[in-house]
Amino acid sequence: MAMSPDRSATYEMLGRRVRVEYDSRTARGADILREELSRYPRAGDGVPDLTVRYRPVDVPGGGLVNPRNHVELKDGFVMRHRMATVRVRMDGPRLAAIDFHPTSANSALVTHVRRMLDMQFSSREERTGVMFHEMVLVPAAYWTSDLAVVHASAFSDRDGRVTLVGGTGGVGKTSLALELCMHHGFRFLADDIAFVDDGGHVWPNLAYPKIYAYNLEDNPSLAERLLAGRGAVDRLHWALHRRRGPQYVRRRIAPDVLYGSYDRDGGPLHRYVVLAREDRSDVSVTDLDASQAASMSTALMQAEYYPFHNHLHWHAFNRSVMGRTASLTLRRTVDRWEALLRGVLADARCNLVRIPLTMPHDRFKREMADLLARKD
């Protein structure tokens, strides 16, 4: 029987129709997830390409459990994470549905303690948006044959052209996105994972941006916006964790609240910039050819998304035990991404930017924003 409209919605994601079913009676956090996903365009009537169910996950018996946090089933597999359980359901080689739900604590005291220790000051149910994007939407893109997944921030300029800024965690992607979107007329498209199709279109990933304390240096107005409406305990948590170091505390905030607007449709890829920190005295900007840029991109994704990649390896192993073929392997996926990106990046401007390790934050934002905001 179909779910009522207030308990399900179909969105445009990954260039596909993704139906999300909520059940607030059995799954706490459904309203939080519904609010976060409301930033995506609604899709019209029709059969969805993928169904995502936010509900307690059923793990049937009889599967292969190798290792303990991976259960291989005839129609897919289950991933048991510390924060959530995710069930991938296959229809032959096609990804048909994903069920997911947070792993809840057994007591209110444990929930409170976890919340105080968490750098975001959030319970697991309050992190449903993070779980959806990191454990459901990004993995779903691996089965989407005309997409490549890129570890990069993404933003569009006034002409709708998209710039990707890639690099390892902490290299400065979010700080640069803040500078460009708040002061140079760019619009937010993705915080740290972007989706590029084989036609060069960059699709949005509207997971709420994660803002660390170091992103707020010398920016009191942004700090007040981030903490606006938060209670005394929340602010105390921020202050205490901030004293440990600015990398130990962060908050998530809706892109429209942070920036005033955002790009929910995506656009053509114009530029791909890879940032790298280096022991040097000045900024160096060099060109990359499409092959180099594609290789660097896939290397970054393999390193950054290793928890999910482990499950793909275990999926392949367990399918071999069953005498069956894996629906997806990491090697084939990376090869497909690299081939797709070589073609797409041939029509884009690609740069490697080497940044001094000791470069002051303000200087980094100013010089990089000037570089990327320049018309070319």
Side-chain angles (χ1 to χ4, degrees):
M1 183 174 66
M3 300 188 75
S4 61
D6 63 322
R7 292 171 57 196
S8 68
T10 303
Y11 307 95
E12 293 180 9
M13 299 174 174
L14 309 175
R16 302 292 192 275
R17 297 168 45 81
V18 179
R19 176 182 171 90
V20 181
E21 298 179 352
Y22 313 90
D23 190 345
S24 56
R25 296 174 303 176
T26 60
R28 292 191 305 166
D31 290 340
I32 295 172
L33 179 61
R34 184 186 292 108
E35 168 63 21
E36 181 156 342
L37 298 188
S38 69
R39 272 74 186 175
Y40 287 95
R42 287 291 189 102
D45 295 334
V47 178
D49 299 294
L50 173 68
T51 298
V52 177
R53 305 182 185 98
Y54 180 67
R55 65 185 188 188
V57 177
D58 173 43
V59 183
L64 295 176
V65 185
N66 297 296
R68 292 180 61 85
N69 60 340
H70 181 102
V71 182
E72 194 72 29
L73 304 169
K74 290 182 179 179
D75 66 345
F77 56 90
V78 175
M79 301 179 284
R80 289 179 169 140
H81 299 282
R82 182 175 61 88
M83 298 295 294
T85 302
V86 181
R87 181 173 177 178
V88 173
R89 295 176 181 265
M90 306 298 302
D91 180 7
R94 184 182 73 89
L95 176 64
I98 300 179
D99 305 343
F100 83 107
H101 194 255
T103 304
S104 301
N106 294 323
S107 72
L109 177 61
V110 172
T111 297
H112 178 71
V113 170
R114 284 177 176 171
R115 197 168 191 243
M116 291 301 295
L117 294 176
D118 181 70
M119 66 166 57
Q120 294 181 170
F121 188 65
S122 58
S123 68
R124 292 180 177 180
E125 288 75 19
E126 290 169 331
R127 297 180 70 174
T128 55
V130 176
M131 296 175 189
F132 175 88
H133 288 92
E134 294 184 356
M135 300 180 184
V136 175
L137 190 65
V138 174
Y142 284 59
W143 276 273
T144 307
S145 61
D146 64 348
L147 285 183
V149 183
V150 181
H151 186 249
S153 296
F155 25 83
S156 55
D157 64 17
R158 291 181 176 89
D159 298 321
R161 304 177 306 174
V162 176
T163 293
L164 299 180
V165 176
T168 58
V171 75
K173 299 187 297 295
T174 299
S175 292
L176 186 54
L178 287 167
E179 180 70 17
L180 289 167
C181 293
M182 300 186 80
H183 303 296
H184 294 272
F186 285 76
R187 291 193 301 161
F188 171 85
L189 196 62
D191 185 36
D192 62 356
I193 297 289
F195 309 112
V196 184
D197 72 18
D198 56 7
H201 190 93
V202 182
W203 295 95
N205 175 1
L206 299 179
Y208 286 6
K210 304 181 188 76
I211 308 301
Y212 286 82
Y214 58 73
N215 296 130
L216 308 181
E217 292 177 4
D218 303 318
N219 197 336
S221 63
L222 178 57
E224 188 54 39
R225 187 181 310 179
L226 186 67
L227 298 174
R230 299 182 183 273
V233 177
D234 192 327
R235 287 174 176 260
L236 176 62
H237 174 278
W238 176 276
L240 291 176
H241 283 259
R242 173 67 181 80
R243 293 185 66 180
R244 295 174 58 213
Q247 72 274 26
Y248 293 116
V249 62
R250 72 186 184 197
R251 294 292 185 270
R252 300 176 70 247
I253 181 170
D256 48 317
V257 176
L258 180 61
Y259 297 120
S261 65
Y262 60 97
D263 186 344
R264 67 179 201 161
D265 299 311
L269 177 61
H270 170 63
R271 190 171 193 172
Y272 180 38
V273 177
V274 180
L275 305 180
R277 294 281 180 175
E278 191 173 272
D279 187 8
R280 58 183 301 118
S281 59
D282 59 346
V283 173
S284 168
V285 182
T286 55
D287 291 336
L288 289 172
D289 65 35
S291 181
Q292 286 177 296
S295 178
M296 293 173 78
S297 175
T298 54
L300 279 172
M301 271 306 300
Q302 289 181 82
E304 295 290 339
Y305 242 70
Y306 69 89
F308 175 62
H309 296 164
N310 284 341
H311 283 281
L312 290 183
H313 294 313
W314 296 328
H315 171 56
F317 169 80
N318 283 296
R319 287 280 144 166
S320 293
V321 173
M322 291 178 167
R324 303 175 68 181
T325 302
S327 65
L328 189 74
T329 68
L330 183 59
R331 180 176 298 175
R332 291 201 303 266
T333 302
V334 170
D335 288 346
R336 175 172 57 80
W337 287 350
E338 192 159 342
L340 186 155
L341 288 171
R342 280 198 301 269
V344 168
L345 293 174
D347 296 323
R349 183 171 181 181
C350 302
N351 298 113
L352 172 63
V353 181
R354 304 171 190 269
I355 305 162
L357 285 170
T358 57
M359 187 176 192
H361 196 62
D362 277 352
R363 180 185 159 202
F364 163 76
K365 291 191 297 182
R366 182 177 63 253
E367 292 193 15
M368 287 302 305
D370 288 345
L371 172 69
L372 295 181
R374 193 179 304 150
K375 283 285 186 179
D376 51 22

